[in-house]
């Protein structure tokens, strides 16, 4: 019987406008993301100042930054410094306004003040601050009597690497920083997808049940089909829709990744390197934890949907469930910072949060196999218990109309 | 070989919706299930079908627990009509056929046959929500009968149908009856029940008031109805004991005769009072039995 129900659920929804629309919008977003880095680049270059032309008035007793600013302006093409010595402040500023220059810089020993008609132009003013800081560094270095070579060695970046060695291993491999960042971005992205999926499809299940109640088809159905079968037909049907949608989206993402020079994942965090291989492992783990999480939550969503008479009331009863999912999401988010903390380990074994936290841990660290297996077993048990309890609420709820039952009444459904 | 409801009780909190109810529907019967609003008809049907569990009592079909027969042998039309509004009519009916155990081809074949029978042939590709209420109801009736069930249970099937479609439904039910199917339907339209049912059960407040063969019930009521039309003094009847005026119509007066009242004596008195135009002894209508029985219980 269940295959017939699944088929109905799937075929009627897959042709629905809402489903097609979200799928298409998702595909467009994925395509859009892969164009994000070049767009961002163009955008930022259009905002950035092309040329800085400063009027500088040194009011200090001793000369300080000015010679170094002049030195910098010779090295950099996009920087022009006009020495306004001899003019008074008013005349110097008039020059800025007349010729539409970047600003007037007043220097008094170590103190620098920028006089500008537009203090809101953050990009320009920050760039000016950078220039002044560079000049200041040069000035101080000269005061300390450093040579050019000494200067360079002082600012030379260290060659910093990370080597990860597991306790039972003799020697580890060097960590590829780019790969690490990409793994992070991918993990974060897929985690967000699980979070979205649980909320999106959970709600679809709940409102589907409420729809069956409000259209009064429910009584025909339960006279023929066992309520549990009806519930599973809906859960599996909606789950299949979800998998199809993700298949389309992830395929789009991967195709764009290989077509384009920049990766669509890179677009999210501005990592310019393309993905080096299909993150197949990650996608498979995603599939597993999406399904575990979905089956756990979907039955509870179905029971929640059975408690209301109209689709409009669904959001009231599912808000608590959404809270649990959000807690799981933020739990996973904190686990990103330290995937092996006791907080992460604990939440990766609690059914409400495990699908997200354990997934995040697997993506970022290599959690002990025992823990991974334990989380899967716990999830399977939780699904069994959850669906059993939910089906009890569902069975009674689906024939209730009118006032929504109280929590006490729901507890009685569970006993009966 | 029949549907046996034995000592069924169903409580909702403290209210007994069905109270020690027992009756039997013999196989092949066209059975009317009657009662005023809130009598417990729908609850009884739901208990029979196992949609809700009874607190006490059993329901058996052909000697075996009802729930152990599977679901393909019956068809049920609930009082609250409902279909998936977004599905296409033919698609929906095929789906209903499938969940009742038909295979794909049979479901498709029966769907088009029944759509023709109910004069909905050109609506198969429409969405359910585009249909009128009456047509939606016809679609649902088809959904109940599509898989040719042995037992057909209909809750208020005639409500919401116009006279043409009522007649159509009546034909369909009689046809099913002729083919040996067992049909149970509830109604508050007594004329329809009287017209097609042999057996009835009348319940009120979850209890059985009347049950059995309709003709025998009428006979056993132990009294008759007199319709009298008279030109002259119509007040004579007040002198006759055991004669109660039921209603005063433009064309005739209707009386109830107590048991033992001699109809001939009434006729003689009437002839003395004036010109008798109509003098007719009839069995009480189901309507009258209904009102009387339900009134007694109140």
């Amino acid at each position: 019987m269940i295959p017939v129900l699944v088929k109905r659920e799937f075929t009627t929804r897959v042709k629905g406008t809402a489903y097609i629309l979200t799928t298409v919008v998702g595909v467009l977003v994925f395509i859009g993301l892969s164009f994000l880095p070049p767009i961002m680049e163009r955008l930022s270059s259009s905002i950035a100042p092309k040329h800085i032309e400063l009027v500088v008035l040194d009011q200090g007793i001793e000369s300080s930054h000015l010679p170094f600013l002049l030195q910098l302006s010779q090295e950099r093409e996009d920087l022009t410094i006009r020495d306004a010595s001899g003019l008074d402040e008013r005349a110097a500023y008039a020059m800025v306004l007349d010729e539409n220059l970047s600003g007037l810089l007043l220097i008094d020993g170590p103190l620098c003040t920028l006089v500008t008609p537009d203090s809101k132009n953050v990009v320009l003013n920050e760039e000016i601050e950078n220039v002044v800081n560079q000049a200041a560094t040069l000035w101080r270095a000269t005061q300390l009597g450093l040579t050019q070579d000494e200067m360079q060695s002082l600012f030379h970046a260290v060659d910093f690497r990370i080597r990860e060695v597991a306790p039972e291993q003799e020697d580890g491999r060097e960590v590829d920083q780019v790969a690490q960042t990409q793994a992070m971005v991918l993990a974060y992205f897929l985690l967000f997808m699980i979070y979205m999926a649980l909320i999106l499809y959970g709600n679809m299940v709940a409102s589907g049940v409420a729809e069956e109640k409000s259209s009064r088809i429910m009584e025909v159905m339960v006279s023929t089909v066992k309520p549990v079968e009806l519930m599973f037909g809906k859960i599996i049907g909606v789950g299949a829709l979800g998998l199809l949608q993700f298949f389309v989206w992830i395929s789009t993402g991967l195709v764009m990744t290989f077509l384009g020079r920049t990766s669509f994942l890179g677009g999210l965090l501005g990592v310019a390197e393309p993905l080096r291989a299909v993150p197949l492992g990650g996608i498979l783990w995603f599939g597993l934890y999406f399904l575990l999480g979905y089956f756990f939550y979907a039955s509870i969503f179905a029971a929640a949907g059975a408690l209301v008479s109209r689709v409009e009331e669904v959001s009231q009863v599912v808000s608590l469930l959404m809270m649990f999912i959000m807690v799981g999401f933020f739990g996973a988010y904190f686990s990103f910072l330290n995937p092996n903390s006791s907080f992460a380990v604990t939440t990766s074994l609690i059914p409400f949060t495990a699908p997200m936290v354990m997934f995040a841990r697997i993506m970022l660290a290599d959690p002990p196999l025992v823990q991974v297996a334990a989380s899967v077993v716990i999830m399977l048990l939780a699904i069994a218990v959850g669906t059993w309890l939910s089906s009890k609420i569902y069975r009674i709820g689906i024939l209730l109309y009118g006032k929504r039952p109280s929590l006490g009444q729901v507890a009685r459904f569970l006993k009966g | 070989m029949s549907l046996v409801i034995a000592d069924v009780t169903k409580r909702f909190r403290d209210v007994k919706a069905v109270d020690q109810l027992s009756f039997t529907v013999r196989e092949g019967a066209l059975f009317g299930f009657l009662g005023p609003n809130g009598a417990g008809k729908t609850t009884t049907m739901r208990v029979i079908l196992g949609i809700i569990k009874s607190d006490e009592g059993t329901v058996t079909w052909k000697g075996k627990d009802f729930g152990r027969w599977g679901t393909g042998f019956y068809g049920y039309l609930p009082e609250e009509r409902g279909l998936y509004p977004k599905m296409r009519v033919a698609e929906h009916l095929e789906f209903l056929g499938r969940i009742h155990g038909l295979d794909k081809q049979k479901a498709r074949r029966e769907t088009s046959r029944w759509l023709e029978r109910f004069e909905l042939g050109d609506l198969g590709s429409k969405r359910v929500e585009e249909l009128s209420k009456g047509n939606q109801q016809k679609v649902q009736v088809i959904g109940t009968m599509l898989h040719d069930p042995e037992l057909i249970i209909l809750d208020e099937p005639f409500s919401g149908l116009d006279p043409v479609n009522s007649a159509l439904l009546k034909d369909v039910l009689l046809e099913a009856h002729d083919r040996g199917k067992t049909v149970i339907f509830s109604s508050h339209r007594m004329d329809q029940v009287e017209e097609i049912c042999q057996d009835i059960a009348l319940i009120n407040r979850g209890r059985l008031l009347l049950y059995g063969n309709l003709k025998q019930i009428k006979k056993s009521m132990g009294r008759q109805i007199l319709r009298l039309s008279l030109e002259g003094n119509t007040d004579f009847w007040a002198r006759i004991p055991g004669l109660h005026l039921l209603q005063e119509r433009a064309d005739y007066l209707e009386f109830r005769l107590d048991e033992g009242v001699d109809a001939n004596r009434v006729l003689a008195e009437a002839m003395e009072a004036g010109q008798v135009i109509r003098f007719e002894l009839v069995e009480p209508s189901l309507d009258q039995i209904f009102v009387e029985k339900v009134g007694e219980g109140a």
Side-chain angles (χ1 to χ4, degrees):
Chain A
M1 208 54 70
I2 290 181
V4 182
L5 297 170
V6 170
K7 188 172 164 257
R8 192 207 74 81
E9 196 68 43
F10 187 84
T11 48
T12 51
R13 277 181 194 270
V14 84
K15 287 181 279 185
T17 338
Y19 184 75
I20 294 172
L21 208 66
T22 48
T23 309
V24 170
V25 167
V27 166
L28 290 178
V29 166
F30 272 59
I31 293 175
L33 280 179
S34 64
F35 287 114
L36 200 58
I39 292 173
M40 289 293 283
E41 215 164 278
R42 190 158 302 175
L43 213 64
S44 63
S45 68
S46 76
I47 299 173
K50 287 184 187 64
H51 193 91
I52 300 173
E53 191 157 2
L54 274 179
V55 177
V56 181
L57 185 56
D58 197 337
Q59 300 167 317
I61 300 155
E62 283 176 50
S63 126
S64 55
H65 296 84
L66 183 57
F68 302 99
L69 282 170
L70 289 167
Q71 183 191 325
L72 277 174
S73 72
Q74 273 156 23
E75 287 166 14
R76 287 176 57 167
E77 278 187 12
D78 60 345
L79 180 68
T80 310
I81 301 291
R82 289 208 209 166
D83 187 355
S85 302
L87 295 177
D88 69 350
E89 201 179 312
R90 194 174 293 266
Y93 193 55
M95 194 156 93
V96 170
L97 294 179
D98 287 346
E99 296 180 41
N100 196 18
L101 304 180
S102 306
L104 166 66
L105 188 70
L106 302 173
I107 300 176
D108 185 3
L111 176 72
C112 295
T113 311
L114 177 67
V115 186
T116 166
D118 185 8
S119 68
K120 309 273 187 320
N121 191 342
V122 180
V123 182
L124 175 67
N125 296 346
E126 260 178 18
E127 191 55 38
I128 293 173
E129 194 183 337
N130 278 341
V131 168
V132 174
N133 264 323
Q134 275 177 36
T137 310
L138 290 171
W139 173 44
R140 287 188 205 115
T142 320
Q143 281 190 323
L144 291 171
L146 295 182
T147 65
Q148 196 76 14
D149 286 351
E150 283 171 327
M151 280 277 292
Q152 262 173 16
S153 79
L154 195 59
F155 290 109
H156 192 75
V158 72
D159 189 7
F160 189 76
R161 296 168 192 217
I162 298 171
R163 180 181 299 166
E164 188 176 288
V165 183
E168 64 272 16
Q169 250 177 314
E170 279 299 307
D171 57 345
R173 64 201 152 75
E174 219 150 84
V175 174
D176 181 342
Q177 294 275 8
V178 175
Q180 177 106 337
T181 317
Q182 284 188 343
M184 220 60 197
V185 176
L186 182 71
Y188 189 77
F189 176 74
L190 290 178
L191 172 70
F192 189 70
M193 292 295 257
I194 290 187
Y195 167 73
M196 288 276 296
L198 291 182
I199 286 187
L200 194 67
Y201 300 117
N203 270 302
M204 210 187 267
V205 168
S207 56
V209 174
E211 254 168 50
E212 277 171 352
K213 278 185 76 176
S214 69
S215 72
R216 308 264 171 174
I217 180 76
M218 200 56 109
E219 198 167 345
V220 182
M221 297 306 296
V222 292
S223 73
T224 318
V225 185
K226 288 199 195 81
V228 180
E229 291 179 313
L230 193 59
M231 188 171 99
F232 271 105
K234 182 164 291 297
I235 290 175
I236 296 172
V238 172
L241 285 168
L243 281 183
L244 176 68
Q245 206 163 44
F246 278 115
F247 179 76
V248 172
W249 286 344
I250 289 178
S251 308
T252 312
L254 288 177
V255 166
M256 290 315 290
T257 303
F258 287 110
L259 279 183
R261 280 190 314 250
T262 50
S263 87
F264 84 100
L265 288 172
L268 288 177
L269 278 194
V271 182
E273 289 241 358
L275 221 54
R276 287 172 190 174
V278 183
L280 196 63
I283 290 174
L284 288 179
W285 283 116
F286 168 80
L288 174 69
Y289 278 96
F290 162 67
L291 285 178
L292 287 174
Y294 172 73
F295 275 103
F296 175 67
Y297 273 106
S299 64
I300 308 176
F301 270 101
L307 293 179
V308 297
S309 313
R310 294 180 308 129
V311 182
E312 295 80 45
E313 297 169 58
V314 168
S315 60
Q316 297 166 21
V317 286
V318 299
S319 52
L320 189 69
L321 283 172
M322 308 258 271
M323 212 93 94
F324 278 115
I325 298 175
M326 267 186 246
V327 167
F329 179 68
F330 286 113
Y333 186 76
F334 284 118
S335 305
F336 267 52
L337 304 176
N338 187 351
N340 290 320
S341 64
S342 56
F343 171 79
V345 173
T346 314
T347 48
S348 68
L349 295 174
I350 297 172
F352 286 96
T353 49
M356 283 167 277
V357 181
M358 189 45 107
F359 172 72
R361 292 185 61 209
I362 290 173
M363 292 298 285
L364 291 181
D366 287 319
L369 197 63
V370 190
Q371 289 181 11
V372 178
S375 86
V376 172
V377 171
I378 287 172
M379 281 313 294
L380 289 175
L381 284 176
I383 288 169
V385 174
T387 44
W388 179 64
L389 291 175
S390 297
S391 69
K392 285 184 145 196
I393 298 176
Y394 182 84
R395 207 182 59 218
I396 300 172
I398 47 180
L399 290 174
L400 281 184
Y401 287 96
K403 202 173 155 286
R404 179 146 41 93
S406 65
L407 273 179
Q409 282 170 297
V410 173
R412 268 201 296 279
F413 296 170
L414 290 177
K415 275 188 241 150
Chain B
M1 293 300 104
S2 45
L3 179 71
V4 179
I5 289 101
D7 299 317
V8 167
T9 299
K10 176 69 197 176
R11 286 182 209 90
F12 291 115
R13 300 265 191 140
D14 307 325
V15 184
K16 282 183 178 173
V18 179
D19 188 3
Q20 290 289 310
L21 191 63
S22 297
F23 64 89
T24 300
V25 181
R26 62 185 174 77
E27 211 183 328
L30 227 170
F31 191 91
F33 191 41
L34 313 174
N37 294 333
K41 295 181 302 252
T42 299
T43 306
T44 306
M45 288 183 166
R46 286 177 173 180
V47 167
I48 292 173
L49 295 164
I51 295 171
I52 51 179
K53 287 199 176 74
S54 63
D55 297 313
E56 291 160 35
T58 56
V59 179
T60 55
W61 169 249
K62 295 184 176 177
K64 202 162 96 179
D65 192 63
F66 193 94
R68 300 181 58 179
W69 284 94
T71 57
F73 77 93
Y74 61 80
Y76 172 51
L77 177 77
E79 185 180 10
E80 294 282 4
R81 314 285 190 255
L83 297 163
Y84 288 107
K86 300 277 176 214
M87 284 182 90
R88 312 216 174 262
V89 172
E91 197 181 37
H92 201 306
L93 286 173
E94 281 164 30
F95 167 70
L96 288 175
R98 295 274 284 141
I99 64 169
H100 282 104
L102 294 187
D103 63 39
K104 222 179 206 164
Q105 284 79 29
K106 188 120 198 264
R108 188 161 296 173
R109 231 179 16 246
E110 289 300 309
T111 294
S112 51
R113 192 172 74 81
W114 277 94
L115 283 176
E116 288 303 322
R117 176 87 165 78
F118 271 84
E119 291 151 12
L120 296 172
D122 47 345
L123 295 180
S125 59
K126 288 244 188 235
R127 283 182 201 281
V128 168
E129 61 190 352
E130 295 169 43
L131 265 54
S132 70
K133 273 264 182 291
N135 280 341
Q136 285 189 20
Q137 188 163 342
K138 286 207 275 185
V139 170
Q140 197 159 7
V141 169
I142 296 174
T144 314
M145 320 268 287
L146 188 69
H147 55 294
D148 199 25
E150 289 177 74
L151 174 65
I152 301 161
I153 300 182
L154 312 149
D155 201 351
E156 297 282 353
F158 292 103
S159 75
L161 288 182
D162 61 33
V164 176
N165 285 316
S166 282
L168 187 61
L169 178 60
K170 212 179 316 174
D171 284 349
V172 169
L173 294 184
L174 285 170
E175 187 191 284
H177 174 63
D178 287 344
R179 289 171 50 233
K181 309 294 178 189
T182 308
V183 180
I184 303 172
F185 72 92
S186 74
S187 183
H188 59 271
R189 290 277 304 277
M190 297 304 142
D191 53 333
Q192 271 153 348
V193 175
E194 227 166 348
E195 210 176 322
I196 59 178
C197 293
Q198 304 101 40
D199 298 341
I200 62 149
L202 169 62
I203 67 167
N204 190 27
R205 300 180 179 199
R207 285 170 167 277
L208 194 64
L209 294 182
L210 263 182
Y211 156 61
N213 183 278
L214 188 53
K215 280 194 188 112
Q216 280 167 8
I217 286 175
K218 285 188 173 182
K219 258 182 208 143
S220 72
M221 287 305 282
R223 50 172 187 69
Q224 285 180 304
I225 299 294
L226 167 63
R227 289 179 183 160
L228 176 70
S229 180
L230 183 72
E231 271 177 14
N233 177 18
T234 52
D235 293 338
F236 78 96
W237 62 270
R239 300 194 302 271
I240 308 170
L243 199 59
H244 310 276
L245 182 67
L246 290 178
Q247 57 173 334
E248 210 168 337
R249 295 172 41 137
D251 47 350
Y252 58 81
L253 302 172
E254 196 168 78
F255 299 96
R256 196 182 77 209
L257 267 63
D258 279 355
E259 217 169 342
V261 175
D262 184 1
N264 283 344
R265 203 196 128 208
V266 180
L267 178 59
E269 295 265 358
M271 284 164 71
E272 242 168 66
Q275 179 76 37
V276 175
I277 296 165
R278 178 173 180 173
F279 188 89
E280 186 185 14
L281 285 170
V282 293
E283 286 177 328
S285 73
L286 192 50
D287 228 8
Q288 285 159 334
I289 296 173
F290 181 95
V291 170
E292 190 180 322
K293 278 288 169 186
V294 171
E296 267 172 25

